[in-house]
Amino acid sequence: DVVHQRHRLGILTVAAEADEVEFSYLQKVLELTPGNLNRHLAVLEDAGYVAVKKGFNGRKPKTWVKISRSGRAALAQEISTLEGLIQRHRRGTNARPHDE
């Protein structure tokens, strides 16, 4: 259930693409408010799926997100489950006669 929520799935997917991803980038790509993103990150961090690191880039405060090994495993499991559901749907759709 932690990963299945679409925004958390999106966070893990984007975080898996790079070593670290900046908070503002996640916010922009996923079209989330800072508060919503913080809440989803807290859930993922509590589950051990991401690490959140705060620091500075010059004088500007920055937050970076890094997916953990268990986060990668949870993401892979969720994608596998979704792929299975998609295949099942396609088989079911192709097996039924189409209404005209």
Side-chain angles (χ1 to χ4, degrees):
D1 286 344
V2 171
V3 178
H4 185 70
Q5 203 283 343
R6 90 177 154 99
H7 294 305
R8 292 192 287 266
L9 180 60
I11 291 166
L12 290 176
T13 301
V14 173
E17 296 172 352
D19 186 42
E20 290 182 327
V21 63
E22 193 176 338
F23 182 94
S24 61
Y25 179 76
L26 280 173
Q27 184 185 345
K28 179 180 175 185
V29 168
L30 299 173
E31 298 179 348
L32 293 170
T33 65
N36 283 338
L37 181 52
N38 270 323
R39 179 67 191 122
H40 289 299
L41 287 173
V43 171
L44 291 170
E45 191 173 28
D46 288 346
Y49 293 162
V50 298
V52 178
K53 180 178 77 175
K54 295 184 183 280
F56 290 88
N57 186 4
R59 291 183 174 203
K60 291 179 93 175
K62 296 284 182 181
T63 301
W64 294 273
V65 177
K66 182 177 179 106
I67 191 169
S68 68
R69 185 174 290 142
S70 61
R72 286 184 188 279
L75 176 61
Q77 178 61 48
E78 182 67 15
I79 289 171
S80 177
T81 299
L82 291 171
E83 286 173 337
L85 289 170
I86 291 166
Q87 289 173 5
R88 181 182 176 127
H89 171 73
R90 287 183 177 149
R91 283 192 305 268
T93 301
N94 293 333
R96 288 185 276 146
H98 297 286
D99 293 332
E100 294 185 22

